[in-house]
Amino acid sequence: MAKRLIQPSLADLKQDIAGVIPLPLILNWASSKRDVKKHNDLLAPYIIKGTVVSSDSSGLSKLSSQKSLLEVLKLVSEPKEVIFKYGSSTSGKAIGVWAADNTEMFYPEAIPVSKVVESMVEAQTEIASLKVQVGMAVHFGEFYEIGGGLCGDEADFVEEAAESFSGKGEIVISESVKEKLPENNFKLVKKDVKGLKEALYTVISTKPQRVVLRETAGSYPYPFTDSFYKFLKSSKVSELKREDGMYKNLSKNRVITLVRVDHDEKKLLLDFLTDMALGNSIMESVSKEFGIERVKSNGGLGIFASTDVRDSLAFARRIKQVLTFNGYVCSVGMAKGEVLIFPMKEGEEIAGGPVNVASKLAEDVGGRGVIFADSSVTQKPKVKLKGSKFELEVSGVMLKGLKL
C-alpha cells in the first residue's frame, strides 16, 4: 500500500515546526478576514525603520576546495569580526545568526546614514588585508523584524543587492541611502543594473571620517558552540589541526541533503509566511518518517543529515514527491563527506564542504523540481541509480554526479 501523502494544515503546526515564524501571528492571520487592514494591523508591532547593511563573501566555494574545513571557518570568521566591530561601534544590531558567509546589521533611524556608510568604508579598508573579501549593500527603509530575522520586500532587496550586485571590497548603496548622504562627502558611481526596485551606486571614496571604535560586549552571532568559537578565534590559521579533541568530537561523516523550496509570490507577507510554515511542516513530517536528522529548516530551505546513502536517496525522492503533491516546487542537492555539527541552544548549526556542494546543486545549477546527487553520493551507493550524468563548473568549483 502506498504511503499517505502529507497535506499540512495550520491545526497541525507546532512552534518548532513553524521555526522562526511566530505561530500566534500565523494563526491570528489565518482566522481573520485576511484583508489588507488586518494584515497591516498584525504586522505593525514588527515594523522597524532604519538602515540595513548586508554582506556576502566572495570566492567561498573555491576557497573550500583549497583549504581544510577548519581553515575555511577561521578565514570566513575574520571579516565577520571586523564588520561586527565597526557596526556595533556605530550602534548597529546584528540580525540573525551569521551562518555561512553572510552578515546583516540594522541601524535605527536616529543613526545618520552617512555614519553607517563611513563605518563600512573603514571596515572594508581593514578587511582588505584579510584572505576573505566581502561585498556590502546598504539600504534605508521599513523592515519587518520577525523571529529574529528581517522580512519583506525591503529586506529581500538589500540581501539580493549584496549577494548579486556587490563585488569583493565593494560597497553598494540604494537610492534611498544616496538621498540621505551629504552631497560633497561621497563619490558615487551608478551601477548599470536594471529590474531592481531602486537604483544602486558604488561608493568610490569618502572624505576621511575616522570611526571611533568602542569596546563592545559579546561577539558577532556565530553559528558555533561558545567553546569552539573561542578555540577558532584564539588560533592562527597555521595552528589549526584536525587532531584537536574538540574537532574530533564535532566532526561527522554524513550524507547531506539540502532542499530548496520555491514559493509562489504573494501580495501579502503573511500569506507568504503561512506558506513557509506549511512547507516546513512537510519537511518536519517527512524527516521524522525516515528517521533523517533535520539539522535546520524554515520552509524555504532545509538541511538534513544521514549516515546512509540509501536512506538519504529514499528521503530525497519522498520529500520531493510530497512537496510536489502539495503544490510546491523544490530542488534537491546531495553530497557526502566530513561536516561539523554544532549543538546550539535552539537546534543545530552545520558547516562543511558537503553543505556547500549540496547548496550549489540545489540553488545554483538551475534545475527546478529535480534531484542532483554529487559524485560523492553516487560512486558507491550500494543501490542501482538511474539518472543522467552532469558535469559543470559553479563558482570556480567543478561538480559532477547524477541528475535523478
Side-chain angles (χ1 to χ4, degrees):
M1 181 182 294
K3 293 181 178 178
R4 179 178 66 88
L5 292 173
I6 300 163
Q7 291 179 290
S9 67
L10 286 173
D12 297 327
L13 290 179
K14 299 177 182 177
Q15 184 60 58
D16 63 329
I17 294 177
V20 299
I21 304 168
L23 188 54
L25 178 64
I26 298 299
L27 294 179
N28 285 340
W29 172 243
S31 61
S32 73
K33 292 181 180 179
R34 298 173 77 162
D35 56 21
V36 173
K37 182 180 183 306
K38 184 63 175 180
H39 181 269
N40 293 342
D41 287 345
L42 285 173
L43 285 180
Y46 298 93
I47 293 176
I48 57 175
K49 188 174 184 179
T51 306
V52 168
V53 179
S54 185
S55 79
D56 190 67
S57 298
S58 298
L60 180 60
S61 296
K62 191 171 183 180
L63 185 69
S64 298
S65 67
Q66 298 171 341
K67 302 285 186 181
S68 71
L69 177 53
L70 277 178
E71 288 176 306
V72 172
L73 292 177
K74 170 70 174 178
L75 293 171
V76 169
S77 182
E78 289 176 339
K80 294 180 184 180
E81 300 277 3
V82 177
I83 291 170
F84 182 78
K85 177 175 66 175
Y86 282 91
S88 57
S89 291
T90 317
S91 301
K93 179 180 76 171
I95 299 295
V97 176
W98 292 2
D101 59 344
N102 44 37
T103 75
E104 195 161 65
M105 294 193 79
F106 171 78
Y107 301 81
E109 186 179 13
I111 307 302
V113 171
S114 58
K115 295 294 184 185
V116 177
V117 176
E118 289 162 0
S119 182
M120 291 305 100
V121 169
E122 291 265 359
Q124 284 286 42
T125 301
E126 186 169 329
I127 291 171
S129 64
L130 302 177
K131 179 73 174 179
V132 172
Q133 304 293 294
V134 303
M136 296 180 181
V138 188
H139 180 51
F140 182 88
E142 286 190 350
F143 305 84
Y144 296 104
E145 186 178 18
I146 300 176
L150 297 183
C151 302
D153 292 341
E154 306 296 324
D156 292 342
F157 170 69
V158 68
E159 289 167 9
E160 182 184 6
E163 183 176 348
S164 302
F165 301 105
S166 71
K168 60 183 180 180
E170 185 180 14
I171 299 173
V172 298
I173 64 171
S174 66
E175 188 76 40
S176 300
V177 171
K178 177 178 178 290
E179 291 172 354
K180 293 180 176 296
L181 294 179
E183 287 187 13
N184 298 323
N185 285 20
F186 298 85
K187 182 179 179 182
L188 309 173
V189 173
K190 188 173 184 178
K191 293 183 73 73
D192 184 18
V193 177
K194 297 178 181 179
L196 296 179
K197 67 187 297 294
E198 290 189 22
L200 293 176
Y201 301 82
T202 298
V203 179
I204 301 301
S205 63
T206 69
K207 288 186 176 180
Q209 300 286 335
R210 192 69 184 171
V211 177
V212 179
L213 294 176
R214 300 196 308 255
E215 286 292 329
T216 56
S219 305
Y220 77 85
Y222 45 83
F224 316 122
T225 57
D226 293 341
S227 56
F228 185 83
Y229 171 72
K230 291 175 183 176
F231 159 73
L232 201 65
K233 187 175 181 179
S234 63
S235 303
K236 295 180 180 179
V237 174
S238 59
E239 297 172 344
L240 295 171
K241 303 292 182 183
R242 292 187 177 209
E243 290 74 20
D244 181 84
M246 186 184 308
Y247 181 91
K248 288 184 177 180
N249 290 334
L250 296 169
S251 175
K252 313 289 181 185
N253 192 284
R254 293 289 186 268
V255 183
I256 299 301
T257 303
L258 190 143
V259 182
R260 170 65 182 265
V261 182
D262 292 331
H263 293 266
D264 294 334
E265 287 190 17
K266 309 288 184 184
K267 290 184 178 179
L268 298 177
L269 176 60
L270 286 177
D271 282 336
F272 174 75
L273 295 180
T274 300
D275 203 45
M276 289 275 285
L278 292 172
N280 205 34
S281 72
I282 292 175
M283 294 186 180
E284 169 79 0
S285 298
V286 178
S287 61
K288 283 184 176 180
E289 176 188 339
F290 279 80
I292 298 289
E293 180 180 3
R294 180 174 65 105
V295 178
K296 59 194 304 185
S297 66
N298 63 9
L301 187 73
I303 302 175
F304 306 87
S306 170
T307 58
D308 189 89
V309 170
R310 288 173 295 183
D311 289 347
S312 295
L313 288 165
F315 166 72
R317 292 189 176 101
R318 175 66 173 168
I319 201 165
K320 174 179 173 291
Q321 178 193 27
V322 177
L323 285 166
T324 302
F325 178 81
N326 284 280
Y328 297 97
V329 177
C330 74
S331 302
V332 181
M334 303 180 68
K336 182 175 182 291
E338 181 187 37
V339 296
L340 297 181
I341 298 180
F342 303 95
M344 308 296 286
K345 292 178 181 177
E346 296 181 7
E348 294 178 323
E349 291 290 345
I350 189 169
V355 181
N356 192 38
V357 171
S359 173
K360 293 296 179 190
L361 293 174
E363 301 184 270
D364 297 338
V365 170
R368 297 177 78 240
V370 297
I371 299 172
F372 287 102
D374 180 65
S375 57
S376 58
V377 173
T378 62
Q379 283 176 345
K380 297 178 181 179
K382 297 181 181 178
V383 63
K384 217 168 188 181
L385 295 176
K386 293 182 180 179
S388 56
K389 292 183 179 180
F390 70 86
E391 185 170 343
L392 68 163
E393 185 175 330
V394 179
S395 302
V397 177
M398 186 61 66
L399 303 174
K400 59 182 179 179
L402 287 179
K403 179 181 176 181
L404 304 176

